Amino acid sequence: GMATLTIHHHAAKVLTSDAGITALAKHLEPQMPGTSLNDRRLVAFELLTNPDAHRDLDTKAGKKVGPLKPKVKIHLHLTPDSPIARMEGHGPVTTAWVRHLVEHIAGGVRVAPVIDLAGQAPVDAYEIPARLREAVRLMFPGDVFPYASSTSGKGDIDHQVPYSEGGATAIGNLAPLTRSHHRVKTHAGWEARQPFPGIVIWRDPYGAHYLVDHTGTRQVTGNTVGDRRTAPQPVSHAEIYASRILLDYAA
Protein backbone atom coordinates (compact mmCIF):
# COMPACT_ATOMS: atom_id res chain seq x y z
CA GLY A 1 0.00 0.00 0.00
CA MET A 2 2.99 2.34 -0.30
CA ALA A 3 3.43 4.88 -3.08
CA THR A 4 5.98 7.48 -4.18
CA LEU A 5 5.31 11.06 -5.23
CA THR A 6 8.01 12.85 -7.22
CA ILE A 7 7.86 16.60 -7.86
CA HIS A 8 10.04 18.06 -10.61
CA HIS A 9 10.24 21.84 -10.34
CA HIS A 10 12.61 24.76 -10.02
CA ALA A 11 15.35 23.90 -7.51
CA ALA A 12 14.88 27.05 -5.41
CA LYS A 13 11.14 26.45 -5.07
CA VAL A 14 11.66 22.80 -4.14
CA LEU A 15 14.17 23.83 -1.45
CA THR A 16 11.73 26.45 -0.12
CA SER A 17 8.87 23.94 -0.03
CA ASP A 18 11.05 21.41 1.76
CA ALA A 19 12.03 24.02 4.36
CA GLY A 20 8.35 24.92 4.85
CA ILE A 21 7.42 21.28 5.47
CA THR A 22 10.22 20.97 8.03
CA ALA A 23 9.18 24.21 9.77
CA LEU A 24 5.58 23.02 10.13
CA ALA A 25 6.80 19.61 11.32
CA LYS A 26 8.67 21.33 14.17
CA HIS A 27 5.49 23.25 15.12
CA LEU A 28 3.62 19.94 15.29
CA GLU A 29 6.00 18.39 17.81
CA PRO A 30 3.92 19.35 20.91
CA GLN A 31 0.86 17.65 19.35
CA MET A 32 2.76 14.55 18.30
CA PRO A 33 5.09 13.69 21.21
CA GLY A 34 7.31 10.67 20.72
CA THR A 35 7.17 10.81 16.91
CA SER A 36 10.12 11.23 14.59
CA LEU A 37 10.73 14.33 12.52
CA ASN A 38 10.11 12.29 9.38
CA ASP A 39 6.66 11.21 10.64
CA ARG A 40 5.77 14.82 11.40
CA ARG A 41 7.05 15.92 7.98
CA LEU A 42 4.58 13.53 6.35
CA VAL A 43 1.73 15.01 8.41
CA ALA A 44 2.92 18.53 7.57
CA PHE A 45 2.97 17.66 3.87
CA GLU A 46 -0.61 16.40 4.13
CA LEU A 47 -1.74 19.56 5.93
CA LEU A 48 -0.13 21.84 3.37
CA THR A 49 -1.38 20.00 0.30
CA ASN A 50 -4.75 18.49 1.30
CA PRO A 51 -7.49 20.97 2.32
CA ASP A 52 -9.53 18.07 3.76
CA ALA A 53 -6.92 17.31 6.41
CA HIS A 54 -8.49 18.54 9.68
CA ARG A 55 -5.70 18.27 12.24
CA ASP A 56 -5.96 21.13 14.75
CA LEU A 57 -2.95 23.39 14.34
CA ASP A 58 -3.16 24.78 17.87
CA THR A 59 -0.05 24.02 19.89
CA LYS A 60 -0.13 23.21 23.61
CA ALA A 61 0.83 26.80 24.29
CA GLY A 62 -2.43 27.92 22.64
CA LYS A 63 -0.70 29.48 19.66
CA LYS A 64 -1.76 28.83 16.12
CA VAL A 65 0.77 28.14 13.42
CA GLY A 66 1.03 31.33 11.41
CA PRO A 67 2.17 31.81 7.82
CA LEU A 68 5.30 29.82 7.15
CA LYS A 69 8.13 31.89 5.74
CA PRO A 70 11.16 29.64 6.02
CA LYS A 71 14.57 30.95 5.12
CA VAL A 72 16.58 28.84 2.70
CA LYS A 73 20.37 28.99 2.56
CA ILE A 74 21.92 28.06 -0.78
CA HIS A 75 25.65 27.47 -1.15
CA LEU A 76 26.98 28.24 -4.62
CA HIS A 77 30.54 27.34 -5.58
CA LEU A 78 31.76 29.64 -8.35
CA THR A 79 35.00 29.86 -10.32
CA PRO A 80 36.07 33.13 -12.01
CA ASP A 81 35.24 33.22 -15.73
CA SER A 82 33.43 29.85 -15.58
CA PRO A 83 29.81 29.70 -16.86
CA ILE A 84 29.08 26.81 -14.49
CA ALA A 85 28.47 26.92 -10.73
CA ARG A 86 27.81 24.06 -8.32
CA MET A 87 24.74 24.34 -6.14
CA GLU A 88 25.02 22.20 -3.01
CA GLY A 89 22.21 19.70 -2.70
CA HIS A 90 21.37 20.03 -6.40
CA GLY A 91 24.36 19.91 -8.74
CA PRO A 92 25.82 22.03 -11.56
CA VAL A 93 23.88 25.09 -12.74
CA THR A 94 24.74 27.89 -15.13
CA THR A 95 25.68 31.32 -13.85
CA ALA A 96 22.89 32.70 -16.06
CA TRP A 97 20.46 30.55 -14.05
CA VAL A 98 21.89 31.97 -10.82
CA ARG A 99 21.38 35.55 -12.05
CA HIS A 100 17.80 34.71 -13.00
CA LEU A 101 17.25 33.19 -9.55
CA VAL A 102 18.47 36.30 -7.76
CA GLU A 103 16.70 38.82 -10.01
CA HIS A 104 13.33 37.21 -10.72
CA ILE A 105 12.48 34.12 -8.68
CA ALA A 106 13.68 34.21 -5.10
CA GLY A 107 12.30 37.15 -3.13
CA GLY A 108 14.31 38.85 -0.43
CA VAL A 109 17.67 37.46 -1.46
CA ARG A 110 20.57 38.25 0.86
CA VAL A 111 24.02 37.47 -0.44
CA ALA A 112 26.22 36.42 2.49
CA PRO A 113 29.96 37.10 2.46
CA VAL A 114 32.31 34.31 1.54
CA ILE A 115 33.56 32.38 4.57
CA ASP A 116 37.32 32.52 4.93
CA LEU A 117 37.99 28.79 5.19
CA ALA A 118 41.63 29.30 6.14
CA GLY A 119 40.96 32.00 8.72
CA GLN A 120 38.72 30.11 11.13
CA ALA A 121 39.85 30.47 14.72
CA PRO A 122 40.03 27.19 16.68
CA VAL A 123 37.96 26.75 19.83
CA ASP A 124 39.01 25.26 23.14
CA ALA A 125 36.07 22.86 23.37
CA TYR A 126 34.89 19.55 21.98
CA GLU A 127 31.65 20.97 20.57
CA ILE A 128 32.04 22.51 17.12
CA PRO A 129 30.41 25.96 16.68
CA ALA A 130 28.08 26.47 13.75
CA ARG A 131 30.40 28.75 11.74
CA LEU A 132 33.33 26.34 12.04
CA ARG A 133 31.06 23.40 11.16
CA GLU A 134 29.85 25.25 8.06
CA ALA A 135 33.44 26.02 7.03
CA VAL A 136 34.34 22.32 7.28
CA ARG A 137 31.32 21.40 5.15
CA LEU A 138 32.33 23.93 2.51
CA MET A 139 35.92 22.68 2.47
CA PHE A 140 34.82 19.05 2.10
CA PRO A 141 31.72 18.56 -0.07
CA GLY A 142 31.23 14.96 1.11
CA ASP A 143 32.31 12.08 3.33
CA VAL A 144 36.13 11.93 3.37
CA PHE A 145 36.46 8.18 4.06
CA PRO A 146 38.36 6.48 1.19
CA TYR A 147 36.11 5.82 -1.81
CA ALA A 148 33.03 7.15 0.02
CA SER A 149 30.23 8.59 -2.09
CA SER A 150 27.96 10.38 0.38
CA THR A 151 27.47 14.12 -0.22
CA SER A 152 24.39 14.52 1.98
CA GLY A 153 26.02 16.98 4.38
CA LYS A 154 24.06 15.43 7.28
CA GLY A 155 26.72 13.19 8.81
CA ASP A 156 29.17 13.71 11.65
CA ILE A 157 32.13 16.07 11.89
CA ASP A 158 35.10 14.01 13.07
CA HIS A 159 38.12 15.12 15.09
CA GLN A 160 40.81 13.27 13.13
CA VAL A 161 43.14 13.45 16.12
CA PRO A 162 40.65 12.80 18.95
CA TYR A 163 39.94 15.74 21.21
CA SER A 164 40.62 13.51 24.23
CA GLU A 165 44.15 12.96 22.88
CA GLY A 166 44.92 16.64 22.34
CA GLY A 167 43.37 17.08 18.91
CA ALA A 168 42.26 20.64 18.20
CA THR A 169 38.75 21.71 17.30
CA ALA A 170 40.08 23.56 14.29
CA ILE A 171 40.37 23.57 10.51
CA GLY A 172 43.00 20.97 9.67
CA ASN A 173 41.73 18.46 12.24
CA LEU A 174 38.04 18.30 11.33
CA ALA A 175 36.35 16.50 8.44
CA PRO A 176 32.90 15.07 7.67
CA LEU A 177 32.11 11.35 7.94
CA THR A 178 28.91 9.35 7.80
CA ARG A 179 28.01 7.70 11.10
CA SER A 180 29.08 4.23 9.89
CA HIS A 181 32.47 5.48 8.64
CA HIS A 182 32.92 7.44 11.87
CA ARG A 183 32.50 4.19 13.81
CA VAL A 184 34.92 2.37 11.51
CA LYS A 185 37.56 5.03 12.15
CA THR A 186 36.95 4.95 15.90
CA HIS A 187 36.82 1.18 16.44
CA ALA A 188 38.48 -0.57 13.47
CA GLY A 189 42.02 0.81 13.47
CA TRP A 190 41.81 3.42 10.69
CA GLU A 191 43.68 6.71 11.19
CA ALA A 192 43.49 10.03 9.35
CA ARG A 193 45.57 13.21 9.28
CA GLN A 194 45.51 16.42 7.24
CA PRO A 195 49.09 17.39 6.32
CA PHE A 196 47.49 20.63 5.18
CA PRO A 197 43.79 21.62 5.32
CA GLY A 198 41.61 20.01 2.66
CA ILE A 199 43.91 17.02 1.98
CA VAL A 200 43.30 13.90 4.08
CA ILE A 201 45.79 11.05 4.42
CA TRP A 202 44.28 7.78 5.65
CA ARG A 203 46.10 4.69 6.89
CA ASP A 204 44.17 1.43 7.14
CA PRO A 205 44.93 -1.25 9.80
CA TYR A 206 47.33 -3.02 7.41
CA GLY A 207 49.49 -0.04 6.51
CA ALA A 208 48.03 1.12 3.18
CA HIS A 209 47.82 4.89 2.70
CA TYR A 210 45.10 6.75 0.80
CA LEU A 211 44.84 10.35 -0.33
CA VAL A 212 41.36 11.90 -0.27
CA ASP A 213 40.76 15.36 -1.69
CA HIS A 214 38.13 17.16 -3.78
CA THR A 215 38.99 14.96 -6.79
CA GLY A 216 38.32 11.66 -5.00
CA THR A 217 40.50 8.88 -3.55
CA ARG A 218 43.91 7.62 -4.60
CA GLN A 219 45.82 4.80 -2.94
CA VAL A 220 49.43 5.91 -2.58
CA THR A 221 51.03 2.94 -0.74
CA GLY A 222 50.16 -0.75 -0.63
CA ASN A 223 49.22 -3.09 2.22
CA THR A 224 51.96 -4.89 4.13
CA VAL A 225 50.25 -8.25 3.66
CA GLY A 226 53.27 -10.33 4.66
CA ASP A 227 53.69 -8.50 7.96
CA ARG A 228 50.27 -7.36 9.08
CA ARG A 229 50.13 -5.22 12.16
CA THR A 230 48.18 -6.69 15.04
CA ALA A 231 47.48 -3.18 16.29
CA PRO A 232 47.80 0.11 14.40
CA GLN A 233 50.61 2.43 15.45
CA PRO A 234 50.18 6.23 15.77
CA VAL A 235 50.90 8.18 12.60
CA SER A 236 54.17 10.05 13.11
CA HIS A 237 55.15 13.42 11.67
CA ALA A 238 57.77 11.64 9.55
CA GLU A 239 55.10 9.40 8.02
CA ILE A 240 52.89 12.39 7.27
CA TYR A 241 55.82 14.17 5.60
CA ALA A 242 56.64 11.04 3.58
CA SER A 243 53.00 10.73 2.57
CA ARG A 244 53.02 14.33 1.36
CA ILE A 245 56.03 13.55 -0.87
CA LEU A 246 54.10 10.56 -2.25
CA LEU A 247 51.06 12.77 -2.83
CA ASP A 248 53.08 15.32 -4.79
CA TYR A 249 54.49 12.47 -6.90
CA ALA A 250 51.03 10.95 -7.47
CA ALA A 251 49.61 14.33 -8.49
Side-chain angles (χ1 to χ4, degrees):
M2 304 299 288
T4 299
L5 172 65
T6 301
I7 299 175
H8 185 77
H9 206 324
H10 193 282
K13 292 186 177 180
V14 171
L15 288 172
T16 303
S17 298
D18 182 69
I21 291 170
T22 300
L24 180 54
K26 292 179 179 178
H27 279 292
L28 291 172
E29 187 172 5
Q31 297 182 60
M32 303 175 64
T35 58
S36 67
L37 177 61
N38 188 58
D39 289 337
R40 296 195 302 275
R41 278 172 53 84
L42 291 173
V43 173
F45 177 78
E46 180 185 15
L47 288 168
L48 292 171
T49 58
N50 181 7
D52 294 327
H54 297 298
R55 181 178 291 271
D56 184 9
L57 293 185
D58 285 345
T59 66
K60 288 184 178 180
K63 297 180 180 179
K64 285 187 174 293
V65 177
L68 295 173
K69 298 181 179 180
K71 294 181 179 179
V72 177
K73 180 180 288 187
I74 297 175
H75 288 124
L76 289 168
H77 297 264
L78 302 165
T79 302
D81 302 323
S82 173
I84 303 297
R86 182 171 65 84
M87 179 178 175
E88 287 197 10
H90 177 68
V93 295
T94 65
T95 52
W97 182 91
V98 174
R99 286 193 293 270
H100 181 69
L101 169 70
V102 172
E103 294 173 1
H104 302 290
I105 297 177
V109 173
R110 182 173 69 89
V111 179
V114 175
I115 295 177
D116 181 6
L117 301 181
Q120 295 293 311
V123 295
D124 187 18
Y126 174 76
E127 295 297 330
I128 306 168
R131 185 173 179 82
L132 187 56
R133 183 178 295 270
E134 184 178 7
V136 173
R137 290 290 184 192
L138 292 174
M139 182 175 291
F140 298 103
D143 182 357
V144 300
F145 196 81
Y147 302 107
S149 59
S150 173
T151 57
S152 69
K154 297 180 180 180
D156 300 338
I157 300 294
D158 171 56
H159 286 74
Q160 296 188 322
V161 178
Y163 183 77
S164 60
E165 299 176 12
T169 302
I171 293 294
N173 192 46
L174 299 171
L177 292 172
T178 60
R179 181 59 53 84
S180 59
H181 286 157
H182 198 169
R183 288 172 175 165
V184 167
K185 176 180 177 291
T186 302
H187 302 293
W190 288 74
E191 295 185 76
R193 298 289 187 273
Q194 292 183 53
F196 45 94
I199 304 295
V200 183
I201 300 292
W202 285 87
R203 187 174 70 180
D204 71 17
Y206 305 112
H209 289 77
Y210 305 84
L211 160 68
V212 179
D213 62 9
H214 68 283
T215 65
T217 302
R218 284 174 283 176
Q219 184 172 349
V220 293
T221 65
N223 291 314
T224 55
V225 178
D227 182 23
R228 293 190 176 185
R229 295 181 176 89
T230 56
Q233 302 298 318
V235 179
S236 68
H237 291 291
E239 286 179 299
I240 294 175
Y241 180 74
S243 297
R244 184 170 183 177
I245 295 175
L246 286 169
L247 302 180
D248 292 339
Y249 176 78

Coordinates of all heavy atoms in Angstrom, one line a residue, residues 3 5 10 21 29 35 39 44-45 48 76 89 94 102 126 136 142 152-153 156 199 207 211 218-219 222 242 250:
A3 N 3.3 4.2 -1.8 CA 3.4 4.9 -3.1 C 4.5 6.0 -3.0 O 4.9 6.4 -1.9 CB 2.1 5.5 -3.5
L5 N 5.7 9.9 -4.5 CA 5.3 11.1 -5.2 C 6.6 11.8 -5.5 O 7.4 12.1 -4.6 CB 4.4 11.9 -4.4 CG 4.1 13.3 -5.0 CD1 3.3 13.2 -6.3 CD2 3.3 14.2 -3.9
H10 N 11.4 23.9 -10.2 CA 12.6 24.8 -10.0 C 13.3 24.5 -8.7 O 12.6 24.3 -7.6 CB 12.2 26.2 -10.1 CG 13.3 27.2 -10.2 ND1 14.1 27.5 -9.2 CD2 13.8 27.9 -11.3 CE1 15.1 28.4 -9.6 NE2 14.9 28.6 -10.9
I21 N 7.9 22.5 4.9 CA 7.4 21.3 5.5 C 8.1 21.0 6.8 O 7.5 20.6 7.8 CB 7.6 20.1 4.5 CG1 6.7 20.3 3.3 CG2 7.4 18.8 5.1 CD1 6.9 19.3 2.1
E29 N 5.4 19.3 16.8 CA 6.0 18.4 17.8 C 5.2 18.3 19.1 O 5.0 17.2 19.7 CB 7.4 18.8 18.1 CG 8.2 17.8 19.0 CD 9.7 18.1 19.1 OE1 10.1 19.2 18.5 OE2 10.4 17.4 19.7
T35 N 7.1 11.1 18.3 CA 7.2 10.8 16.9 C 8.5 11.4 16.3 O 9.0 12.3 16.9 CB 6.0 11.4 16.1 OG1 5.9 12.8 16.3 CG2 4.7 10.8 16.6
D39 N 8.1 11.4 10.5 CA 6.7 11.2 10.6 C 5.9 12.5 10.6 O 4.9 12.7 10.0 CB 6.4 10.4 11.9 CG 6.8 9.0 11.9 OD1 7.0 8.5 10.8 OD2 7.1 8.4 13.0
A44 N 2.8 17.1 8.0 CA 2.9 18.5 7.6 C 2.7 18.6 6.1 O 2.0 19.5 5.6 CB 4.3 19.1 7.9
F45 N 3.2 17.7 5.3 CA 3.0 17.7 3.9 C 1.5 17.5 3.6 O 0.9 18.2 2.7 CB 3.8 16.5 3.2 CG 3.5 16.4 1.7 CD1 4.2 17.2 0.8 CD2 2.7 15.4 1.3 CE1 3.9 17.1 -0.5 CE2 2.5 15.2 -0.1 CZ 3.1 16.1 -1.0
L48 N -0.4 20.8 4.3 CA -0.1 21.8 3.4 C -0.7 21.6 2.0 O -0.9 22.5 1.2 CB 1.4 22.1 3.3 CG 2.1 22.6 4.5 CD1 3.6 22.6 4.4 CD2 1.6 24.1 4.8
L76 N 26.6 28.3 -3.2 CA 27.0 28.2 -4.6 C 28.5 28.3 -4.7 O 29.1 29.2 -4.1 CB 26.4 29.4 -5.4 CG 24.9 29.3 -5.7 CD1 24.4 30.7 -6.2 CD2 24.5 28.2 -6.7
G89 N 23.5 20.3 -2.8 CA 22.2 19.7 -2.7 C 21.5 19.6 -4.0 O 20.4 19.0 -4.1
T94 N 24.0 26.8 -14.4 CA 24.7 27.9 -15.1 C 24.7 29.2 -14.3 O 23.8 29.4 -13.5 CB 24.1 28.1 -16.5 OG1 22.8 28.6 -16.3 CG2 24.0 26.8 -17.3
V102 N 18.3 35.1 -8.6 CA 18.5 36.3 -7.8 C 17.6 37.4 -8.2 O 16.9 38.1 -7.4 CB 19.9 36.8 -7.7 CG1 20.1 38.1 -7.0 CG2 20.8 35.7 -7.1
Y126 N 35.2 20.7 22.9 CA 34.9 19.6 22.0 C 33.8 19.9 21.0 O 33.8 19.5 19.8 CB 34.5 18.3 22.8 CG 34.0 17.2 22.0 CD1 34.9 16.4 21.3 CD2 32.7 16.9 21.8 CE1 34.5 15.3 20.5 CE2 32.2 15.8 21.1 CZ 33.2 15.0 20.4 OH 32.8 13.9 19.7
V136 N 33.9 23.7 7.6 CA 34.3 22.3 7.3 C 33.5 21.7 6.2 O 34.0 21.1 5.2 CB 34.3 21.4 8.5 CG1 34.6 20.0 8.2 CG2 35.2 21.9 9.6
G142 N 31.8 16.3 0.8 CA 31.2 15.0 1.1 C 32.1 14.2 2.1 O 33.1 14.7 2.7
S152 N 25.6 14.0 1.4 CA 24.4 14.5 2.0 C 24.6 15.7 2.9 O 23.7 16.6 3.0 CB 23.7 13.4 2.8 OG 24.5 13.1 4.0
G153 N 25.8 15.9 3.5 CA 26.0 17.0 4.4 C 25.3 16.8 5.7 O 25.2 17.8 6.5
D156 N 28.4 13.2 10.5 CA 29.2 13.7 11.7 C 30.4 14.5 11.2 O 30.8 14.4 10.0 CB 29.7 12.5 12.5 CG 28.6 11.7 13.0 OD1 27.4 12.1 13.1 OD2 28.9 10.5 13.4
I199 N 43.3 18.3 2.5 CA 43.9 17.0 2.0 C 44.0 16.0 3.1 O 44.6 16.3 4.2 CB 45.3 17.2 1.4 CG1 45.3 18.3 0.3 CG2 45.9 15.9 0.9 CD1 44.5 17.9 -0.9
G207 N 48.4 -0.9 6.9 CA 49.5 0.0 6.5 C 49.3 0.6 5.2 O 50.2 1.4 4.8
L211 N 45.0 8.9 -0.2 CA 44.8 10.3 -0.3 C 43.4 10.6 -0.7 O 42.9 10.1 -1.7 CB 45.8 10.9 -1.4 CG 45.4 12.3 -1.9 CD1 45.6 13.4 -0.9 CD2 46.2 12.7 -3.2
R218 N 42.8 8.3 -3.9 CA 43.9 7.6 -4.6 C 44.7 6.8 -3.5 O 45.0 7.4 -2.5 CB 44.9 8.6 -5.3 CG 44.3 9.2 -6.6 CD 45.3 10.3 -7.1 NE 45.1 11.5 -6.4 CZ 45.8 12.6 -6.6 NH1 46.8 12.6 -7.4 NH2 45.6 13.7 -5.9
Q219 N 45.0 5.6 -3.8 CA 45.8 4.8 -2.9 C 47.3 5.1 -3.3 O 47.7 5.0 -4.4 CB 45.5 3.3 -3.1 CG 46.3 2.5 -2.1 CD 45.9 1.0 -2.1 OE1 44.9 0.6 -2.7 NE2 46.7 0.2 -1.4
G222 N 50.9 0.5 -0.7 CA 50.2 -0.7 -0.6 C 50.1 -1.3 0.8 O 50.8 -0.8 1.7
A242 N 56.4 12.0 4.7 CA 56.6 11.0 3.6 C 55.4 10.9 2.7 O 55.5 10.8 1.5 CB 57.1 9.7 4.1
A250 N 52.2 11.5 -6.9 CA 51.0 11.0 -7.5 C 50.3 12.0 -8.3 O 49.6 11.7 -9.3 CB 50.1 10.4 -6.4

